[in-house]
Amino acid sequence: MSYAFAVAAVFLLLFAIGVGRDRRRFGNAVLLGLSVTFLGIGLLAGVEDAPPGVAETVMICGLLVLGVGPVVLAGLLTANGVKMVRKEGRSPANLLSLLAGLGMFAVMVLAATAAATDSWALRIAVVTLLLILGYVSFLFVCFVGYAFLYGRLRLRRDADYVVVLGSGLTGGSRVPPLLASRLDRGREVHERLAAHGRRDGAPPVLIVSGGQGPDEEVPESHAMADYLLERGFPADALVREDRSRTTEENMLFSRELMERDRPGSSCVIVTNNYHAFRAAILARRTGVDGQVVGAPTAGYFLPSATMREFAAVFLQYKVVNLGTLGALILLGALVWASR
């Protein structure tokens, strides 16, 4: 028990150091997850010394969570996936929560089949699959947990720029509700920075960042600028970045504009809340001195959107992650071959 607490303390210390160096590192999420995991192990190991009845209660609750929890989660994901398809269409990105829910049901059926049969190969395959899912699930929980914490950081007051990231337009030229929420949040942040004031007296500038997609009539930044101007935003505080096609290009091209006009400047980047942590990781990678804040998103949209963001981050570290998955598959194959 004391060993688990000691390990948890070490990971917590490393987490604190990592956050102190840069809050936008995915490694911080993993260190926090490891610290919480070992803390939980230590607490569970100490249950046997608890007063009578506590150990039994904890065991029953644990069994309920392990037994009922996956079924409930799979059901909720499936229901959310159906709602996503009805509201947003059948694009691959919108199917993620539905596929995740159905996939969980399939794994449960496969595990029950393996337990009910004498197939050694099937049991090894199921155990290997569960190890893979355990690894991915651990990283996903780390991602969601730390993203939640990152989204609640205090807004910096010394930024020179506010950068609002673009997204797709409706009908090729209109700002959809998702993008409107970013623009409204960006305007709010700009007003707070302007009210606080800068030591050199220069007012903050808002950059709308987004190029023109193949199915769009105008660059996203132009539609975003029109949305703000129609609502009274001052034109002299607005700059358009209209070349970017990806979030990484949003960062790179916006950084060029900031460095051109105010070298060494800092910014607050605005996107939707599900996208904030990945945007922060990309800001760090592209050398942008920026804090990322999120705008509200419809609740039904969050599960699929969060899975999509996690998948993108997972593949950013593909050498480590795909290597780990390959090692688990190889381990399962070796166990099967030794049979």
Side-chain angles (χ1 to χ4, degrees), residues 195-254:
H196 182 265
R198 285 174 41 79
R199 283 175 292 185
D200 59 8
V205 174
L206 191 149
I207 298 176
V208 284
S209 178
Q212 185 172 352
D215 59 345
E216 294 174 337
E217 299 173 7
V218 297
E220 293 167 5
S221 59
H222 292 200
M224 295 162 70
D226 291 342
Y227 176 92
L228 291 170
L229 293 173
E230 289 169 1
R231 288 157 179 78
F233 191 85
D236 58 353
L238 190 61
V239 173
R240 296 171 174 85
E241 181 287 296
D242 57 8
R243 295 184 293 154
S244 57
R245 299 289 187 87
T246 65
T247 302
E248 185 172 5
E249 289 184 351
N250 286 143
M251 303 294 180
L252 290 170
F253 296 150
S254 296

Side-chain angles (χ1 to χ4, degrees), residues 11 86 109 172 251 334:
F11 281 124
R86 288 176 177 173
V109 171
M251 303 294 180
L334 292 174

Side-chain angles (χ1 to χ4, degrees), residues 4-329:
F5 287 142
V7 174
V10 170
F11 281 124
L12 185 61
L13 176 61
L14 293 175
F15 166 73
I17 294 173
V19 170
R21 289 178 176 175
D22 197 324
R23 295 171 175 175
R24 304 170 297 175
R25 299 168 59 94
F26 183 64
N28 296 337
V30 177
L31 290 171
L32 179 60
L34 289 170
S35 178
V36 172
T37 298
F38 278 97
L39 176 62
I41 292 172
L43 292 174
L44 288 175
V47 167
E48 60 184 18
D49 298 326
V54 174
E56 291 79 2
T57 302
V58 171
M59 183 176 296
I60 292 172
C61 291
L63 290 175
L64 286 174
V65 170
L66 293 175
V68 180
V71 177
V72 173
L73 179 59
L76 292 174
L77 287 172
T78 302
N80 175 260
V82 173
K83 187 173 184 178
M84 274 291 293
V85 171
R86 288 176 177 173
K87 286 182 171 288
E88 303 292 336
R90 298 182 180 181
S91 70
N94 294 337
L95 293 173
L96 287 177
S97 59
L98 177 60
L99 294 176
L102 295 177
M104 289 182 67
F105 280 125
V107 170
M108 285 185 272
V109 171
L110 188 63
T113 303
T117 64
D118 294 327
S119 174
W120 177 254
L122 182 58
R123 291 180 179 178
I124 293 176
V126 169
V127 170
T128 302
L129 179 59
L130 291 176
L131 288 174
I132 290 173
L133 292 176
Y135 174 76
V136 175
S137 298
F138 171 75
L139 292 181
F140 180 74
V141 172
C142 291
F143 173 80
V144 173
Y146 188 72
F148 178 83
L149 295 177
Y150 182 86
R152 278 147 185 79
L153 294 177
R154 184 178 180 182
L155 180 67
R156 65 187 304 172
R157 298 182 178 180
D158 59 346
D160 305 277
Y161 288 89
V162 177
V163 180
V164 182
L165 306 185
S167 65
L169 301 177
T170 300
S173 60
R174 299 190 306 276
V175 170
L178 191 74
L179 182 53
S181 69
R182 297 185 186 186
L183 291 165
D184 294 339
R185 177 74 164 126
R187 179 173 184 168
E188 174 192 331
V189 172
H190 182 271
E191 290 173 350
R192 290 178 63 179
L193 292 175
H196 182 265
R198 285 174 41 79
R199 283 175 292 185
D200 59 8
V205 174
L206 191 149
I207 298 176
V208 284
S209 178
Q212 185 172 352
D215 59 345
E216 294 174 337
E217 299 173 7
V218 297
E220 293 167 5
S221 59
H222 292 200
M224 295 162 70
D226 291 342
Y227 176 92
L228 291 170
L229 293 173
E230 289 169 1
R231 288 157 179 78
F233 191 85
D236 58 353
L238 190 61
V239 173
R240 296 171 174 85
E241 181 287 296
D242 57 8
R243 295 184 293 154
S244 57
R245 299 289 187 87
T246 65
T247 302
E248 185 172 5
E249 289 184 351
N250 286 143
M251 303 294 180
L252 290 170
F253 296 150
S254 296
R255 182 172 180 265
E256 287 182 10
L257 295 176
M258 291 186 285
E259 289 297 314
R260 180 194 68 189
D261 297 333
R262 299 181 184 180
S265 58
S266 60
C267 66
V268 175
I269 301 163
V270 181
T271 184
N272 285 93
N273 48 15
Y274 65 85
H275 186 232
F277 185 38
R278 183 165 79 90
I281 294 172
L282 288 172
R284 175 178 174 271
R285 287 194 166 198
T286 53
V288 176
D289 179 11
Q291 175 189 356
V292 183
V293 299
T297 307
Y300 75 88
F301 196 84
L302 287 176
S304 287
T306 302
M307 290 179 198
R308 184 174 68 247
E309 295 301 304
F310 169 72
V313 172
F314 186 88
L315 292 176
Q316 282 182 7
Y317 302 89
K318 57 187 174 185
V319 174
V320 173
N321 289 326
L322 296 183
T324 301
L325 297 185
L328 292 174
I329 294 172

